[in-house]
Amino acid sequence: MQIAADASAARKPKTIGLLAVLTSALMTGACAQIGSLAPDLSLPKLSDASPKPVDPNDLQAAIAYWGKKYQKNPADEKVALSYARNLNAGGFRKRALAVLRFAHAKNPRSKEVASEYGRVALALGQTKLASHLLAKADDPTKPDPKALSARGAALARLGKYDQAIGVLERAHKLEPTNASVTNNLAMAYTAGGRVQDAERLLQTIAHRPDATPRMRQNLSLVLALQGRYTEAKALAAQDSNPAEAYRRIENVRAMTRKAPTPLVVPVAKR
């Protein structure tokens, strides 16, 4: 019995390491999927004329409108947030980050600025900065599910899975039907070894209209981690470009075969 226990203990770090590698980049940000950018647009020139009322359906006009206001008063919190959000929506994420960096310096106590700054930083891969900012933005008296979801994703990327799960469970309690929040909690569970809990959550969103291909691919990954390769590939095939999901499934299969003992995914005790 002791030999078996020692073997199980030796497998666990390897297993958790495998899960961490496979799930570290599979969360979604609060404003967009991490790693993805909106199509880049040509940044409109700012004229010297007074800004005209903005058409909410015209993104370039919105960028020009808020850009003009920002030039006049870059320290104004609301103006900076509006300008940064429109820049971000237009694909100018690095420009948005610079605007938010200055806004945060001028408004260091603003949780709204810290939240927006942290989420854009996370989308650009600045995980430590994002984690710090999103912790500052966390207000227990007025919890923001978007900020909590992004903070959980940042903590998971830093390997702090227990903390990530705690934060994401708070977000999920606030918005149990939010697909992005549900996905992030499921992937934190996966990275922490709780694949059955992850599958339960992902099954609730995988076939919803607001689910993304990445969310369905995450479910296929969780199925593969349980050795259910046929189910995993069948699910991955439902999307127009399943190649990335297939690759991850085969990675799971290959790593399992290379392991000296069968890969056992630990399930946390409830």
Side-chain angles (χ1 to χ4, degrees):
M1 294 294 291
Q2 182 62 41
I3 294 175
D6 290 343
S8 176
R11 282 197 305 268
K12 187 171 182 179
K14 182 181 183 68
T15 301
I16 297 299
L18 167 62
L19 297 176
V21 168
L22 291 172
T23 62
S24 62
L26 299 179
M27 293 185 169
T28 55
C31 54
Q33 289 190 1
I34 295 173
S36 65
L37 292 174
D40 201 7
L41 302 174
S42 297
L43 193 61
K45 294 181 179 179
L46 303 178
S47 67
D48 292 331
S50 298
K52 297 179 181 179
V54 62
D55 179 354
N57 297 316
D58 187 340
L59 184 56
Q60 292 208 28
I63 292 173
Y65 174 83
W66 289 109
K68 183 62 180 178
K69 282 185 169 291
Y70 179 76
Q71 281 188 329
K72 291 183 177 180
N73 190 3
D76 185 284
E77 176 182 346
K78 298 301 181 184
V79 169
L81 282 168
S82 294
Y83 186 38
R85 285 166 180 160
N86 280 285
L87 284 170
N88 188 44
F92 304 105
R93 195 160 285 166
K94 290 183 179 179
R95 186 77 62 88
L97 187 74
V99 169
L100 291 166
R101 183 185 298 117
F102 186 79
H104 180 63
K106 293 296 183 180
N107 304 276
R109 295 183 180 181
S110 170
K111 292 186 179 297
E112 191 174 4
V113 170
S115 174
E116 196 76 22
Y117 185 15
R119 284 183 283 144
V120 174
L122 182 63
L124 286 170
Q126 299 184 28
T127 309
K128 289 185 178 180
L129 173 62
S131 180
H132 170 71
L133 290 165
L134 293 165
K136 288 184 63 175
D138 192 348
D139 184 353
T141 64
K142 295 181 180 179
D144 178 1
K146 290 182 179 180
L148 287 171
S149 184
R151 184 186 175 197
L155 287 166
R157 280 191 164 191
L158 294 171
K160 300 178 180 180
Y161 301 117
D162 289 342
Q163 292 181 48
I165 288 170
V167 171
L168 290 166
E169 285 179 337
R170 288 172 57 203
H172 190 254
K173 186 175 181 179
L174 291 167
E175 288 194 342
T177 62
N178 184 306
S180 178
V181 171
T182 300
N183 174 82
N184 283 357
L185 177 56
M187 298 321 292
Y189 280 156
T190 303
R194 296 170 58 177
V195 291
Q196 293 178 0
D197 289 333
E199 181 189 350
R200 172 180 55 81
L201 287 177
L202 290 169
Q203 289 284 11
T204 68
I205 63 171
H207 303 290
R208 280 174 27 184
D210 57 340
T212 64
R214 175 174 289 188
M215 293 173 188
R216 288 186 290 274
Q217 290 172 10
N218 287 348
L219 177 55
S220 71
L221 171 64
V222 167
L223 293 172
L225 284 167
Q226 298 176 75
R228 293 153 63 184
Y229 302 113
T230 301
E231 288 180 70
K233 285 198 169 184
L235 179 63
Q238 294 179 17
D239 289 313
S240 58
N241 184 18
E244 181 64 18
Y246 284 166
R247 184 185 65 79
R248 286 201 294 269
I249 291 168
E250 288 305 316
N251 282 347
V252 171
R253 192 196 296 265
M255 290 180 185
T256 302
R257 286 173 175 170
K258 290 178 181 179
T261 54
L263 183 66
V264 176
V265 178
V267 180
K269 295 180 180 179
R270 304 302 297 273

